[in-house]
Amino acid sequence: MVLPPEEDGQLTTSAVRILVATAVPAERDAVAQAFPDPYGETRTLPGLVTLRHITAAPHRYDLLAAGVGPALAAASTATALTAAALEGDPYDLVVSAGIAGGFAPDAPVASLVLADHITAADLGAETAEGFLPVTDLGFGVVTHTPPTDLVRRAATATGARAGTVLTVSTVTGTAGRAEALRARHPEALAEAMEGFGVAEAAGAHGVPVLELRAVSNAVGPRDRSAWRIKDALESLTAGFGKLAPVLESWKQHDL
């Protein structure tokens, strides 16, 4: 484990340890590029969960390519959180980060979105009267809410728009489904596949969560020729560079 140098050999009370969970290595690497030393050191946890340690003294980041979809993202994030807790060195904050589809016109391609609500869009039941979220069935939750002031300050620092980010198990590929999702979630700005899973794991450990997304395509008919993944990854790097100082100071703002 990489620890920043301190005169007394201990971390200062203001230092934070942050877990950043992306879906795939390309997103993890885009986040890493926001730091002077993007490579750091790696460590493999049980279940072949690999963390990349990056030190921004006195703060520490662990970057995790958690996998695609809410289930694998939750499992990988939970593994990292549990390992840290068992070592007596728990995380202070978890960030779900990556690219996403944006709902036009509110979240154009290459823009940044911060979740003020992280919502599982398709966790529930289809009925003759329409979709019922799992909460209406008497089970679990469908939304996690990041700390309000953290979202506000992060949005100011990054220029991101704050709104609901939906987590889906099936990416939207038709105009009809895009319209249906927006009708059920009028505050939705983007959809991705991991945020809710990451938030579920963080919530189980009592750790605050944030979600940052860079828009690579419009939610709607599937058209790979219109995807701008490179632009979105570059936006993610730039956005995380502006976000990091906010994350590092969150303990001092009674979030």
Side-chain angles (χ1 to χ4, degrees):
M1 180 178 298
V2 179
L3 295 177
E6 297 287 340
E7 291 184 357
D8 61 359
Q10 300 294 322
L11 292 177
T12 63
T13 56
S14 61
V16 294
R17 188 180 186 197
I18 297 168
L19 176 65
V20 183
T22 69
V24 297
E27 294 168 317
R28 177 204 60 202
D29 295 346
V31 171
Q33 289 299 318
F35 297 93
D37 177 10
Y39 300 104
E41 297 183 9
T42 60
R43 176 188 176 195
T44 301
L45 303 177
L48 301 180
V49 173
T50 301
L51 299 178
R52 181 184 298 180
H53 297 289
I54 294 179
T55 301
H59 312 290
R60 293 170 296 153
Y61 292 81
D62 286 336
L63 309 187
L64 167 67
V68 174
L72 184 54
S76 298
T77 302
T79 297
L81 287 162
T82 299
L86 290 173
E87 292 164 357
D89 188 18
Y91 291 101
D92 298 290
L93 183 67
V94 177
V95 181
S96 176
I99 63 176
F103 287 95
D106 298 315
V109 171
S111 68
L112 292 171
V113 171
L114 274 162
D116 56 15
H117 292 84
I118 302 170
T119 297
D122 49 12
L123 181 60
E126 293 287 353
T127 75
E129 289 73 34
F131 179 80
L132 288 179
V134 72
T135 48
D136 289 5
L137 302 175
F139 306 105
V141 300
V142 293
T143 294
H144 289 272
T145 304
T148 301
D149 189 56
L150 177 57
V151 173
R152 178 186 59 79
R153 291 193 297 113
T156 298
T158 61
R161 185 164 182 176
T164 298
V165 175
L166 303 178
T167 298
V168 295
S169 295
T170 301
V171 173
T172 298
T174 66
R177 185 166 190 257
E179 292 169 2
L181 284 176
R182 199 66 184 277
R184 289 206 305 265
H185 306 281
E187 303 302 318
L189 295 179
E191 72 164 27
M193 299 183 74
E194 294 76 34
F196 185 78
V198 172
E200 285 276 84
H205 283 261
V207 180
V209 67
L210 191 68
E211 184 171 10
L212 174 70
R213 294 286 172 177
V215 177
S216 59
N217 58 279
V219 177
R222 187 172 175 83
D223 179 9
R224 296 192 62 163
S225 67
W227 293 358
R228 288 169 51 190
I229 292 177
K230 180 176 181 292
D231 292 341
L233 292 174
E234 290 174 352
S235 291
L236 182 62
T237 299
F240 207 93
K242 296 173 182 177
L243 177 64
V246 176
L247 304 179
E248 292 162 8
S249 66
W250 78 275
K251 272 190 171 181
Q252 285 73 49
H253 288 78
D254 193 28
L255 298 179

